[in-house]
Amino acid sequence: MTVVGGHNRRVGDFGIPGYRARWLTGRTAVATAHGSRLAGLTGRTLTRAWLAWDLAGDSWWADCPVLLDFAGEQVEVNHWKFDEIAISWNTVDPARDVRWLGMEDAPIAWRPEPLPGLAGLVGRPLVDVELLEWHGAPADLANGTVALGFDFDDTVLVVFNALDENGLSVGPLPPDYRRHRLTGR
């Protein structure tokens, strides 16, 4: 399963109370800022995977961060522009709605596991966390972009840059990624 979506975003807090994105570019910057904490998720159980949901359109609002709760430690992953990623920790309360600038009448709420594949990961322990770098065809503009891979042994949840928004894949790791483990098996 691979899913992408698109909308314009509000820079800064994205209409999410308490959220402030800190944008990073490149594997080294992400590893330096968050590598140890991401590695510390290994062995924890995924208890929830929250996505912002456009209630009127009944679709994923892919501009907001993906919230992954590992037994009380919530990592919030967001992609923006062509190559930027923001990772934050325990700042978003999924009980509070999103108020998107310019769309105040469009209700956006957090939903647990609304897409196929996510519900099957809940209750499973995380085996490994990886920083993934895309390396497709030589002229692929996405080369070098960073995604996060959450390995649940027989399947990988990838939160990737889908050209100025988040994308998700659940299943085997696509072959065009170079893996950089933050933990070891």
Side-chain angles (χ1 to χ4, degrees):
M1 172 202 76
T2 300
V3 181
V4 297
H7 304 284
N8 293 325
R9 78 178 37 153
R10 175 182 175 173
V11 177
D13 68 5
F14 293 74
I16 302 168
Y19 181 68
R20 295 288 180 271
R22 179 176 165 238
W23 299 104
L24 301 169
T25 303
R27 181 177 57 88
T28 301
V30 175
T32 299
H34 299 285
S36 294
R37 197 157 181 190
L38 287 166
L41 295 174
T42 301
R44 294 178 80 115
T45 299
L46 180 67
T47 53
R48 283 282 177 209
W50 298 92
L51 301 179
W53 203 256
D54 173 1
L55 299 177
D58 194 29
S59 62
W60 177 28
W61 193 265
D63 290 313
C64 289
V66 173
L67 313 180
L68 302 173
D69 189 322
F70 290 93
E73 180 78 312
Q74 180 174 277
V75 60
E76 303 147 355
V77 183
N78 207 0
H79 289 89
W80 189 26
K81 295 185 181 178
F82 189 68
D83 60 352
E84 294 183 13
I85 183 172
I87 299 170
S88 54
W89 300 87
N90 304 308
T91 66
V92 178
D93 178 358
R96 300 183 70 183
D97 292 343
V98 176
R99 299 287 174 220
W100 201 264
L101 183 65
M103 297 188 64
E104 289 78 6
D105 295 332
I108 299 173
W110 296 99
R111 282 214 177 143
E113 303 84 44
L115 297 176
L118 289 177
L121 299 177
V122 172
R124 295 184 61 186
L126 184 64
V127 173
D128 233 336
V129 182
E130 300 172 313
L131 297 181
L132 305 171
E133 281 184 296
W134 183 260
H135 287 279
D140 190 337
L141 293 175
N143 284 339
T145 59
V146 177
L148 286 183
F150 299 91
D151 187 344
F152 293 91
D153 198 30
D154 61 345
T155 192
V156 179
L157 168 62
V158 179
V159 184
F160 63 91
N161 189 318
L163 300 177
D164 198 34
E165 64 191 7
N166 295 300
L168 293 176
S169 69
V170 178
L173 185 67
D176 290 322
Y177 280 114
R178 288 191 186 157
R179 301 171 94 155
H180 303 277
R181 282 200 166 97
L182 296 172
T183 60
R185 288 189 193 224

